Structure formats: C-alpha cells, structure tokens
Amino acid sequence: MCGIVGYIGKRDAYSTLIKGISRIDYRGYDSAGIAVSINGSLETLKCVGAVSTLKKETSKKNACGTVSIGHTRWATHGKPTKANAHPHLSCDGKIAVVHNGIIENHQALRKYLISEGHKFTSETDTEVIPHLIEHLYEGNLEKAVAAALKQLHGTYGIAVIRAGEKKIVAARKGSPLILGIIGKGEYILASDIAAITEYTKKADYLEDGEICVLTDKGYRITDHDDAPHSHIVKTINWSVAAIEKQGFEHYMLKEIHEQPETMRTIIAGKFDFKNKIPKFGGIRITPLDLKNLDRAIILACGTSFNAGLAGEYFLEKTAGLKTEVVYASEFLCKAEKLSSRDLVIAISQSGETADTLAALRKANSDGAHSIGVVNVVGSTIAREVNSGGLYIHVGPEVGVASTKAYTGQLLSLFLFSLWLGRMRGSLKPAEAEAEMKRLTSLPALAEAALKNEKKIIAIASKFKNATNFMYLGRGIHYATSLEGALKLKEISYIHAEGMPAAEMKHGPIALIDKKMPVVFAVKRDDGYEKIIGNIEEVKARKGIVIAIAEESDKEIHKKADYVIRVPDSTQELSSMLFAIPLQLLAYHIARFRKCEIDKPRNLAKSVTV
Ligand code: F6R
C-alpha cells in the first residue's frame, strides 16, 4: 500500500520524482503529493486522484529542486482528500514526511503533541511524525528522526526532508524501502524496485530497525542508536521494458499474454535436465529434515491463497506430505504451536503482504521450517524465511489483479512438489521424469489457451451487465473457481462466488435463476460425471452455464450454453491452463464495463498494512 519515492542528486527533482511515483502508483492511487527543497524552503504539491493529476501541476513548475520526496496514497486513516495526502508537514512547514504503514499509537501522540502546541491539519496517523520530529529537533535531522521513531508503535517506511538541508532521512519497520544507487551522491529511494530500475540496477535493501541518511556526498545506514550497519549492494534484474505496457491496452492484458513466456522461464530455471529432477538450490533444509517433515502449512492471502489450495493438492499427491492451507490472517488466531517437523510455505507475489509476514514471523518463532514462494527478489518475506525458498521469476506484475504470478506460483509449487517427492523418496525417478517431460509442453498449451480470446470477448459482451456470477469446480479446480471469482469481482465489481461444485447444493443453489451465469471448470477426470450432474442441476433451475472444458470433451456442448475450450492436459497442468480463460473473461467483462482495470477502486497491489 502507498508508494514512496525520494530523490537526491543533480537532476530536476520534479520530473524524476513524478516518473518514480508513476511507476509505483499501483501501490495506491487515491491521492498523491510531492515536497521539494528549494532555496531554503519546502515547496509542496498535493492532489486527489492518480499521479497523472499531480504531473499536470508539476509541469507548471520551474525545474530547480534537487532534494525531494513523493507519495502515492492508499487511504487507511482519513478519506482521500488533499489535506490527507502526503507529504505531511511540521507546524513551521520545514519538515516533510512521506509514510507507508500504520502508526498504531497516533491518537495518544496526537493528543500529546496538541497539548504541546502543535496544530494538525489532516485526519491521518502519519501527521504525528513530522510534528514529533519537529518537537525533538535540536539541529540534527537524523537524530530527531531516530528519537521520534523510538516513540512510534506500528509499521512504517518513511522518508523525511527538512528545508535548507541537503539530505533525505529514511527508515523502515515492517514496510519495504529500497535504495537505488545511481552514483556517488545521487540516489533514488523507493518502496518498490519498479521506481528505481529506470535509473539504476544497483540496490541496497533497508532492513527493519535501520535508518538511512542520503546526502550529495554519500549514504550511511545505522540503527536507531547510530551504530553503523554494512550492507551488500544487490543487482536488480528487472528491465524497464518489463514494467511498460508494450502495446497492450492494460498491464493486466499484457501480463495474461506473458504467461507462456513466464512458464518457459520457470521451466528453464528450475529444471535439472541431466539429473531429471527440478532444482531448488535456494532451499536450506537437510535431506534428513525433509524426510522427517510431518506436514506442510501454506500461508498466504488472496490469489496467493488460491494458488496455495492447488499447492495442497500437489504436495499431498506428488510429495506425499499432508498439507493445510491457512489464510495468513487467520493463522494468527490459531492456538496451535508449530514445530521443526512442520514446513511453512509462505506464498506471496510481492513478498511484503503484512498478514503473510506476520504469520511467517509467528511460524518462525514456533521453530517451524519456513520457505517462501515469492516473486519480488529481496522482498521482506524472501529475506525472513528461515530455510530459503524459491523465486517464481515472472517479472514485475503491475496490474493490481494478479495473473502471471498465479500461474507462476502454481508451476513453481508443482515443481517444488516433484523435488520434495524425490527428496523424501515418495516419488520414483521415472515418475518425476515423466511429469517433467509433460511440463515442457505447458507453455505451448498456454499459448493455445490464449488463442480463444475472441470467443471469450463474445461471451464477456453477453454477460457484461450480469450482477452475480457463480464459479464451480472440483478438486484442484476448487482453486480455479475461487480465483476466477476473485478476478471478476476485483476488476469488474460484479459480485461473484467461487466454491466446490458439490457445495452449491448446500445453499447457494437458491441463488440460481435465469439471470445467473455459472462458470464451471470441467476437467475430464474421475469427477467428470459429478460435474455434469452439477451442470444439470443448474440447468434445471434455468441458470446459464459457461463451461471451461477440454478440446477432447465432445459431450459438453450438449449440456452447457457456452463452451470455452482449453487444450487437454493432466490434472496438474490444467490448474494453470483453466485459469487463463477465466482471467480473460474477467478482463473483457471489466473492459466492456469501462472499469479502471489496472487500478481497481479501493485496491492496492500490495497490502502492507
Ligand atoms: C488479487 C490479488 C490479491 C493478492 C493478495 C496477496 O488479484 O492480487 O488478492 O494476491 O493481496 O498478495 P501477495 O501475493 O503479494 O502476498
């Protein structure tokens, strides 16, 4: 949530900052703002709406500031108004702060600061920070920031500037902050690497509890007591092209179409063809500990949770490991303590989701082995897992609705299950080899699935005005049905429910009438007859059936009103292939409804609060 950017250097601060925050406005887009230090004072600009509105305002400015901070907001405390937009200022207007996170004790601090004479102008939790820094300032900005941080409870990634001082002070606790090193004395600071890649490939990831002071002479990282910390600078491998639309109308559509390629990348990176076993060099658990595992617990939210449900199926079937999938937020409510015989798998595209991170920390403190299935390299979850993990390497996902990360998570989890099955001895070498052979055809099958887009557009146009949708699937396609429903509701604002097909009879069937489209994932497997039975039940109540079905299914068109074909494949591969038409269906319905597809209302790409 919320995007932060800071820049210090010789370039024009306005255009550099605006470019930076435009790159990460998927983190929040209800208001935006910027503060620039110019000739001993601060110039602040704020607006309600996306960064593009702010851009229009800044274009009227003369280019002269070279120290600046900017923000794109996803509201938590206070409505999206100009007054609530960041940066927030101290009473004297000399200190400006941008913040991502939540200050839990803001009410107590506000009360105290008001009693000390401070005047507040917004409803935000953030505004206590500049006032507190002002209150503690005795001539040294970093010292005042460190003293203020000691009084804050909650989470933050902050960047602070003060009029007349050529420096940015940044700090993090629970919200990501990355420092891009352009050159000595020229830095770009951001909550997301997408804001940095354009300027540099050299990045230094701040850790919780650290303060970083950037000046035009260099930078220094310390703890809150000024003890220096040394870091290794990492190389970013995302290109600028990867974060641009490349001719597609929306990032989401581009990312849907990238899936054959992302699948190829995953297969190329995780296959050890010589030894006929997937390779996972990043996992640090001894073979004996892997054998001794009693169960896996998958922790995730949203789309990553849905991927986890398919992961449960892979791990139980292929690796013979009992698996539970728990919403990360619910995991914290559980009384059970984990042990070293538990393997926790934290799935997160961003690697920053607050609930997943909190659940992971609890699992770590219980003594479980924890690994990550993460996209963003160097993200907090990737760093805090105690036994390594795997990156899905699908490149930057900019569209708020997750697409290529979902199939990347499924593919990576399936490969991981094959590896684990071999390591635990539950899978024979020939079985692993046969699965890997089948997997090599996956990218081409995904390409074939994408070819049915025209038909999907026609169906989307028919149902663009529906008010409810139901998605049904069995077994591994329970995950597909949840994911299909999630995609539709988040970008088109149509109410949709996904559930196991048989569950429909236990209540939701009451919703079926001639206006209700029901999307079935119809795989030709042991449950085929049962799914057909569910379709009959919907038809008997005049519901409309849209079936996602395999090419070889010659019966389905007699039962369903609309059929979207996907290539034939195994159960495991079908979990990825069936997701593609559902992503396209949601996308085209949302497009017909003229929705803000890449930035749906009320959402943000990564939920770090
Ligand atoms: C839906 C979506 C969200 C995320 C969820 C978890 O399209 O993107 O449901 O999946 O917020 O995010 P990550 O995977 O970054 O932990």
Side-chain angles (χ1 to χ4, degrees), residues 301-304 347-350 353 400-402 486-487 490 607:
C301 304
T303 286
S304 298
I347 309 177
S348 176
Q349 185 285 128
S350 61
T353 299
V400 165
S402 192
L486 178 57
K487 288 293 86 89
E490 68 182 325
V607 186

Side-chain angles (χ1 to χ4, degrees), residues 228 230 289 316 430:
S230 68
D289 281 352
E316 293 196 339

Side-chain angles (χ1 to χ4, degrees), residues 336-603:
E336 188 191 2
K337 203 167 158 20
L338 307 187
S339 76
S340 61
R341 295 175 82 93
D342 291 314
L343 172 68
V344 161
I345 305 174
I347 309 177
S348 176
Q349 185 285 128
S350 61
E352 302 293 349
T353 299
D355 287 331
T356 311
L357 185 57
L360 170 67
R361 285 178 178 158
K362 179 180 179 293
N364 282 349
S365 77
D366 282 355
H369 288 286
S370 63
I371 62 165
V373 176
V374 170
N375 188 34
V376 179
V377 175
S379 55
T380 310
I381 291 172
R383 282 178 291 136
E384 291 205 12
V385 283
N386 61 24
S387 305
L390 47 120
Y391 284 117
I392 63 171
H393 286 310
V394 297
E397 192 179 62
V398 178
V400 165
S402 192
T403 52
K404 62 176 178 172
Y406 178 68
T407 49
Q409 288 163 341
L410 295 186
L411 178 52
S412 303
L413 284 164
F414 182 45
L415 286 166
F416 174 69
S417 307
L418 292 175
W419 177 81
L420 192 61
R422 290 290 299 112
M423 297 301 283
R424 285 166 60 84
S426 57
L427 191 70
K428 296 198 180 77
E431 289 169 333
E433 194 186 345
E435 289 294 354
M436 287 169 69
K437 253 200 195 127
R438 279 193 278 272
L439 265 171
T440 51
S441 65
L442 178 67
L445 298 179
E447 260 154 18
L450 283 164
K451 292 219 166 88
N452 291 327
E453 191 165 0
K454 260 202 187 135
K455 171 122 201 228
I456 296 170
I457 294 172
I459 296 173
S461 142
K462 283 219 153 64
F463 295 103
K464 59 180 187 281
N465 295 322
T467 46
N468 292 291
F469 262 78
M470 202 180 277
Y471 287 73
L472 301 176
R474 294 178 62 85
I476 204 164
H477 290 297
Y478 167 37
T480 311
S481 68
L482 287 183
E483 183 55 10
L486 178 57
K487 288 293 86 89
L488 185 72
K489 60 190 151 190
E490 68 182 325
I491 59 167
S492 74
Y493 318 140
I494 295 175
H495 171 249
E497 277 192 56
M499 67 194 81
E503 271 301 301
M504 175 190 61
K505 285 179 295 210
H506 301 282
I509 196 164
L511 297 169
I512 308 282
D513 62 13
K514 62 179 189 309
K515 289 198 209 128
M516 173 71 98
V518 185
V519 182
F520 278 90
V522 187
K523 170 90 185 101
R524 280 177 73 83
D525 58 15
D526 296 350
Y528 183 72
E529 297 304 329
K530 292 199 169 84
I531 274 276
I532 295 293
N534 297 135
I535 291 178
E536 305 273 13
E537 284 153 12
V538 169
K539 288 306 306 166
R541 282 149 191 93
K542 300 194 170 55
I544 306 151
V545 172
I546 303 169
I548 315 294
E550 290 169 308
E551 304 283 4
S552 65
D553 187 340
K554 301 294 178 228
E555 297 302 311
I556 191 67
H557 67 279
K558 297 178 197 156
K559 309 280 176 194
D561 299 287
Y562 303 88
V563 180
I564 302 170
R565 298 285 177 178
V566 286
D568 287 48
S569 67
T570 61
Q571 195 68 260
E572 288 78 6
L573 302 199
S574 73
S575 67
M576 296 162 242
L577 297 173
F578 276 55
I580 293 173
L582 296 185
Q583 296 166 348
L584 286 171
L585 183 65
Y587 171 82
H588 285 292
I589 289 178
R591 191 171 166 276
F592 280 121
R593 291 165 70 89
K594 301 197 179 348
C595 296
E596 274 274 10
I597 292 179
D598 284 332
K599 293 173 195 160
R601 70 182 181 210
N602 305 340
L603 289 176

